Amino acid sequence: MALKLTSPLGIKLFSFLLIIGLTAPFLGAVAYNILHDPFDIINAKGNIPTAFIGGSGMDRYQHAGTILHYQPKSIISGHSHAANFIPSHLDRELELQDTYSLTQDGATLFEQSTVISYALKNSDVRDVLWLFGSFRVKPDKTHHKRPLPLYLYDDNRLNDFSIFLTLPMIKQVRKKNWIRSKIDKIEQQLEKQIDPRDYSTAWHWLQPKRKSYNRPVAIANKLLNQNPDSKEKISELKDEQHYSRE
């Protein structure tokens, strides 16, 4: 018995199939985002090598998951220049513990303070290294091109799931896998294990043509060399090229 589309039952069936056809791609994309969760919003994947997404504004999404699921005891905050401070180096040189970089490219003071406040509230943070240039002291609330997703840094965890509805994550999943592969390659080159925390906001590492980052000697010279008493301290520094420029 053929079902006529003009019949009440046929219209309902057609409407049902149409709704399924229209919503299936969206639901599939949401399911993909939740399953892969590249920013660690739901949980940290302990059975997969750790990697953090940084640069191009994506660090603003990553930091919320880092704070909640990796529980830093020390944090680095600031705009992109603060990424010169490497977490494992601070743990070693300043005797800090579980340091994570929460820097944001081009971040305003409001964005920096928002992430710091969230970390203090949701993790047992004991030390904060907050660095920013004087050019960041201005009334801008958020970066005009890369605004901080404030809903990830409030007290409502339920609204965090809206990230899976609005942000296509297939590129971020691929980027995270690429970072894992790069870290693995560097470990093979150096024949030692490296700390993924050191690459969490290292956008200068992702853009190797830039040569003004991860160069503490050059930075110290620029900042301190006018003072003769600083020359001896500068001479004790050593640039650490611990990442691949390929």
Side-chain angles (χ1 to χ4, degrees):
M1 180 179 174
L3 181 65
K4 294 183 178 180
L5 290 178
T6 54
S7 66
L9 183 58
I11 293 174
K12 291 182 180 179
L13 178 60
F14 177 77
S15 300
F16 174 77
L17 293 176
L18 181 61
I19 292 172
I20 293 296
L22 293 175
T23 58
F26 172 74
L27 295 176
V30 172
Y32 177 90
N33 289 346
I34 293 176
L35 178 64
H36 290 84
D37 188 21
F39 298 110
D40 305 312
I41 300 299
I42 299 176
N43 65 342
K45 300 170 181 60
N47 61 333
I48 301 176
T50 302
F52 302 95
I53 298 177
S56 302
M58 293 296 101
D59 40 33
R60 290 157 166 76
Y61 297 91
Q62 176 69 68
H63 293 336
T66 299
I67 292 167
L68 290 175
H69 303 300
Y70 291 90
Q71 291 291 290
K73 290 184 173 59
S74 303
I75 60 174
I76 307 166
S77 182
H79 47 77
S80 59
H81 288 77
N84 281 293
F85 292 84
I86 307 299
S88 68
H89 296 182
L90 295 185
D91 281 355
R92 182 175 68 247
E93 301 297 334
L94 300 183
E95 298 183 353
L96 301 181
Q97 185 179 5
D98 297 333
T99 302
Y100 284 80
S101 179
L102 304 180
T103 62
Q104 308 166 61
D105 300 351
T108 65
L109 291 182
F110 170 79
E111 291 173 319
Q112 295 170 36
S113 63
T114 297
V115 173
I116 292 173
S117 298
Y118 189 74
L120 292 173
K121 184 180 294 185
N122 292 280
S123 184
D124 183 22
V125 175
R126 304 169 188 174
D127 301 283
V128 177
L129 181 64
W130 189 359
L131 308 112
F132 56 87
S134 58
F135 56 88
R136 288 297 167 202
V137 183
K138 50 188 180 181
D140 296 348
K141 186 173 182 179
T142 61
H143 191 285
H144 65 289
K145 291 184 178 180
R146 303 170 180 173
L148 184 71
L150 293 175
Y151 62 90
L152 291 178
Y153 297 92
D154 60 18
D155 295 328
N156 184 359
R157 288 300 313 282
L158 290 178
N159 67 4
D160 293 357
F161 283 87
S162 62
I163 189 176
F164 301 113
L165 304 177
T166 59
L167 188 68
M169 297 187 184
I170 186 169
K171 290 183 178 180
Q172 307 313 322
V173 171
R174 291 173 178 171
K175 184 175 182 179
K176 195 154 192 170
N177 289 333
W178 178 83
I179 292 173
R180 289 192 181 102
S181 67
K182 289 286 288 185
I183 290 177
D184 182 65
K185 183 177 180 180
I186 296 170
E187 288 182 335
Q188 293 179 25
Q189 291 173 344
L190 301 180
E191 297 183 345
K192 68 176 183 179
Q193 187 174 3
I194 63 174
D195 198 323
R197 293 178 302 159
D198 294 347
Y199 299 88
S200 60
T201 53
W203 62 274
H204 49 87
W205 167 59
L206 302 178
Q207 301 180 47
K209 291 184 179 180
R210 292 183 176 269
K211 300 183 182 300
S212 59
Y213 291 88
N214 197 32
R215 299 173 62 211
V217 174
I219 295 168
N221 267 297
K222 185 175 181 180
L223 295 176
L224 305 175
N225 203 27
Q226 295 179 356
N227 184 347
D229 296 333
S230 301
K231 289 183 178 296
E232 183 177 351
K233 295 181 180 180
I234 294 173
S235 65
E236 296 174 356
L237 293 173
K238 180 181 179 182
D239 284 329
E240 297 197 28
Q241 300 295 339
H242 65 294
Y243 56 84
S244 171
R245 285 188 175 274
E246 294 183 8

